[in-house]
Amino acid sequence: MAGERGVVFPEVGGRRSTSATGRAVVADALLPVDPVGSAAAARETNWRSGYLGHFRRLVEAGLPSYGDARSIAEAGLASVHDRMRWSPGGGDDLPLSAAVAGAAGAPHPTHTYEVLAGGAEPDTALTIPYQGRRLAGDDLRRRLDAWVAGGIVEPALREAVTAVLENPEWLRLEGRTVVVLGAAAEMGPLRSLLRWGATVAAVDLPRPDLWSRLLDDTRDLAGRLVLPVAVGDGDLAQRAGLDLLHDLPLATSWVGGLDGPLVLGNYVYADGATNVRVSTAVDALTDEVRRHRTDTALSFLATPTDVFAVPAEAVAAATENYAQRRTSKVLRVPLRTLSGGRLLRRNYVPGVDPGINDSVVLQQGPNYLLAKRIQRWRATTARASGATVSFKVAPPTRTRSVVRNRALAAAYSGAHRFGVEVFEPGTANTLMAALLVHDLMARPAAQDHPWQDEAQAAAHGGLWRCAYAPRSALGLAALLGGASAR
């Protein structure tokens, strides 16, 4: 990590340690409401393998009250912002705030705005691609019913998507500019929003190959595409893009200067420790923009492979599914015995309310969870301050990052045998875009507790309602998926 520039981890013992920083952030987040849990996190000697219990505790410790959950979120974000550093030249070590202070209201002399207006007519009705078809109207309603009946999504998702079906004029998001940070992300809403005729400000890395593909894909869509473009001559794809990680002041200035009202959508992803760095950069940008423009709405997609509190109805459904899986009863006991209780465990203790669903995939590691937790904390604190927030649990999806991981790809191939549906990217990102439209236009009331806001209209793919604790079935799913692939 020597010489890294931009948003970087702090130096601990002479090196930029991701484990020491992650451990400290979790301990700081727990401290206001769970000093014992905080001390346990701080004492963890093997963070890379022992992180999971502490991330689970972040959820459990917030359950007693709304105030507890908010305190954890505020303390966690404060720790991230206090600890992470800004190193514009690679050798300096400045506070993170130095990268963004005042930038949202400052001019940006090196970059300008390029507005591309699509020539197509906007879609006037919601359709969602599914298994080679585009589902609309009653066909889409039947698919929503099937997902609910199969425990693939929470029932509130059906109501939200139905509301969009019945109010197609919502799709254009008239009067708003949706900033898609991570414009090329497979799970992002960029293409759907442009197809519906919305105005989208697209931010992604300044890579000509990326922008050539993105511009080709969106050229004939109906909406307005706003791009950050370096001042000068040359091909548009050569000049488009902003690096959130390394050019954070410029990116904050550019986003802060957009016409509004704004919707800031966080769809960034990177591998390993870089994921924490870029999530921190986006959070710093978000915080600064909202200081200047308090009407800014926020949008996040949560990973289903995390720890969530889930409603009693999901616990009851999983308990019933456990009782009804007759075909596996013969194997369940010997498998659990041979594995020391690790395989095919119940998803929940019957009757708990709320339940704790732990769908973490250990191979994804603590940096992945911390990056996603930063987003969850920001959603909680922003909602508590009165902001409009769309935070949705997205379904397990066959994205490129998943397919690259052989173990996870095999597990997803066998997941259907355990009541889990893995979505194709086109289905997942269009469904999530429709939920974003609903949240911005219908503005549903906040729930009584942040965990309920997180669970609202979740598209968990069945992980919350399946019979077995997901990680206790993951290995078998991978074996079955790998065998079927061969």
Side-chain angles (χ1 to χ4, degrees), residues 149-152 154 310-325 332 344-352 355-357 418-419 460 462-470:
I152 305 303
E154 292 305 287
V310 305
E313 293 84 352
V315 174
T319 302
E320 177 65 16
N321 286 335
Y322 185 87
Q324 294 300 321
R325 289 193 66 92
R332 191 159 61 201
L344 300 185
R345 291 182 288 104
R346 285 181 178 273
N347 212 345
Y348 314 96
V349 175
V352 293
I356 298 293
N357 181 267
F418 296 94
H460 46 74
L463 291 168
W464 291 8
R465 292 179 176 242
C466 65
Y468 305 117

Side-chain angles (χ1 to χ4, degrees), residues 323-343:
Q324 294 300 321
R325 289 193 66 92
R326 297 184 180 90
T327 56
S328 61
K329 286 180 180 177
V330 175
L331 296 175
R332 191 159 61 201
V333 172
L335 282 173
R336 291 197 61 197
T337 301
L338 290 170
S339 66
R342 291 189 298 273
L343 291 178

Side-chain angles (χ1 to χ4, degrees), residues 434-486:
L435 292 176
L436 170 61
V437 167
H438 172 265
D439 290 348
L440 294 174
M441 302 303 291
R443 300 190 66 176
Q447 302 294 306
D448 293 334
H449 193 288
W451 79 258
Q452 295 168 314
D453 286 311
E454 292 182 341
Q456 186 77 357
H460 46 74
L463 291 168
W464 291 8
R465 292 179 176 242
C466 65
Y468 305 117
R471 207 161 46 255
S472 77
L474 185 65
L476 291 175
L479 287 173
L480 295 169
S484 64
R486 290 192 295 270

